[in-house]
């Protein structure tokens, strides 16, 4: 497949380019586009064949459901059955990095839902994403635009690296602003369950709702995506919590990423001046270190507050080597 890569102005995308991308989507094709969290690989969420194309292109397990991206809040009523509490979250935090899991209406194909009876909905906060969904006229199913298991793409080069030849079109609007995926909340549970920490912090949500969020004992049961090793570079990732370096991590041949540096000099090093910038740079950092030829990456464990909880989740799963007890893993996040 020939993949067309088109530059677009992030604030003021060219309507002709959007029309062309919308036509590709209408034909059942795949268009990678920027959101504020990471780049997504979009297809018509209401067309089962188009959605199957996403799973094929990414090599994604078909029981891992997709998030439906909307251009307006009203669309949520047509696709799902929001509770009053879900509606108040939409008013407060959409557009933004918050995905709500709600009882699905039959119009959402089983392929999009990964066979579940719920649908995950979000309204992205990016002018290109909003304009593309608007131009298409239907919601876009859009997982991150990477090969399954690889670090999510935060710029178009990363999308190209994984999906060049596998997507019809890539809209290149430069680097994203948040850098990790949305927070996923299951609104069918009482209190709502934090299925995936992400761009919107747990503290902000709990303050707003006035309740503590539940955390799944075994994340895999309700959110299939949390079951897989994910976000991982090809080289090993070690978590560093301060003190001596992890065993096997030879600084002379490894990279380091984090908020403060250990005393040993690393072959490559990326230091971030805030957890927000750490989140923005994590995935691109993984890819850059890998291309630089390091033998492994030592990654500093961030504080659990704010975006740090989502960052911990991505780091933990990138560092994971095999089957692991999920409840122990969620305890290690501080959940
Ligand atoms: P991605 O699009 O790759 O960022 O992954 C989407 C995440 O949302 C995965 O962790 C999915 O398991 C989760 N998800 C999507 N739809 C649902 C749903 N209906 N119920 C629970 N989790 C969902
Ligand atoms: Mg993903």
């Amino acid at each position: 497949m020939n993949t067309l890569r088109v530059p677009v102005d992030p604030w003021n995308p060219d309507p002709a380019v959007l029309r062309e991308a919308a036509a590709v989507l209408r034909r059942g094709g795949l268009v990678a586009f920027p959101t504020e969290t990471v780049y997504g690989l979009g297809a018509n969420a209401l067309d089962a064949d188009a959605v199957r194309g996403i799973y094929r292109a990414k090599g994604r397990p078909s029981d891992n459901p997709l998030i439906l991206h909307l251009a307006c809040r009203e669309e949520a009523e047509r696709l799902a059955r929001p509770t009053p509490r879900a509606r108040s979250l939409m008013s407060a935090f959409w557009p933004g990095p918050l995905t709500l899991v709600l009882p699905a209406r039959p119009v959402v194909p089983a392929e999009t839902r990964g066979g579940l009876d719920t649908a995950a909905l979000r309204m992205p906060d990016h002018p290109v994403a909003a304009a593309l969904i608007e131009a298409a006229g239907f919601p876009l199913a859009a997982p991150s635009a990477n090969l399954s298991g690889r670090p999510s793409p935060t710029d178009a080069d990363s999308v190209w690296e994984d999906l060049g030849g596998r997507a019809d079109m890539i809209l290149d609007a430069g680097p994203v602003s948040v850098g990790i995926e949305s927070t996923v909340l299951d609104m069918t549970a009482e209190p709502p369950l934090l299925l995936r920490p992400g761009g919107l912090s747990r503290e902000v949500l709990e303050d707003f709702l006035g309740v503590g969020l539940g955390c799944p004992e075994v994340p895999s049961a309700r959110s299939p995506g949390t079951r897989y090793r994910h976000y991982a570079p090809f080289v090993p990732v070690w978590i560093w919590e301060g003190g001596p370096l992890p065993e096997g991590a030879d600084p002379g041949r490894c990279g380091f990423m984090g908020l403060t540096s250990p005393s040993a000099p690393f072959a490559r090093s990326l230091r971030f001046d805030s957890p927000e910038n750490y989140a923005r740079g994590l995935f691109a950092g993984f890819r850059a270190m890998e291309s630089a030829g390091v033998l492994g990456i030592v990654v500093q464990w961030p504080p659990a507050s704010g975006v740090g909880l989502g960052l911990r989740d991505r780091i933990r799963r990138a560092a994971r080597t095999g089957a692991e007890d999920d409840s122990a893993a969620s305890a290690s996040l501080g959940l």
Side-chain angles (χ1 to χ4, degrees), residues 99-216:
T99 295
L100 300 175
V101 172
L102 300 164
R105 292 192 190 271
V107 64
V108 182
E111 282 76 2
T112 307
R113 296 180 270 112
L116 301 173
D117 55 9
T118 50
L121 308 184
R122 164 168 126 79
M123 188 175 158
D125 188 13
H126 193 294
V128 174
L132 179 65
I133 301 164
E134 187 82 36
F138 41 73
L140 297 183
S144 47
N146 51 280
L147 288 175
S148 194
R150 294 275 297 147
S152 299
T154 52
D155 56 35
D157 283 344
S158 307
V159 178
W160 181 262
E161 199 172 283
D162 279 19
L163 298 180
R166 291 171 169 261
D168 295 283
M169 198 170 177
I170 299 172
L171 301 180
D172 176 359
V176 302
S177 57
V178 177
I180 61 170
E181 298 83 347
S182 60
T183 301
V184 181
L185 261 196
D186 184 350
M187 299 304 294
T188 67
E190 179 53 48
L193 274 177
L194 181 62
L195 294 182
R196 175 177 78 183
L200 186 62
S201 79
R202 175 187 191 166
E203 297 90 321
V204 166
L205 284 166
E206 290 185 337
D207 259 11
F208 179 85
L209 292 170
V211 292
L213 296 175
C215 291

Side-chain angles (χ1 to χ4, degrees), residues 221-246:
R222 274 181 187 262
S223 191
T226 55
R227 216 170 39 216
Y228 305 102
R229 180 170 191 245
H230 209 328
Y231 313 117
F234 293 123
V235 297
V237 172
W238 292 281
I239 295 173
W240 179 66
E241 299 185 58
L245 290 178

Side-chain angles (χ1 to χ4, degrees), residues 239 301 312-320 324 329 332-333:
I239 295 173
W301 197 232
R312 280 187 172 194
D313 169 75
R314 306 311 185 269
I315 290 171
R316 178 180 60 76
R317 287 201 270 152
R320 216 166 141 167
E324 189 181 296
S332 82
L333 278 182

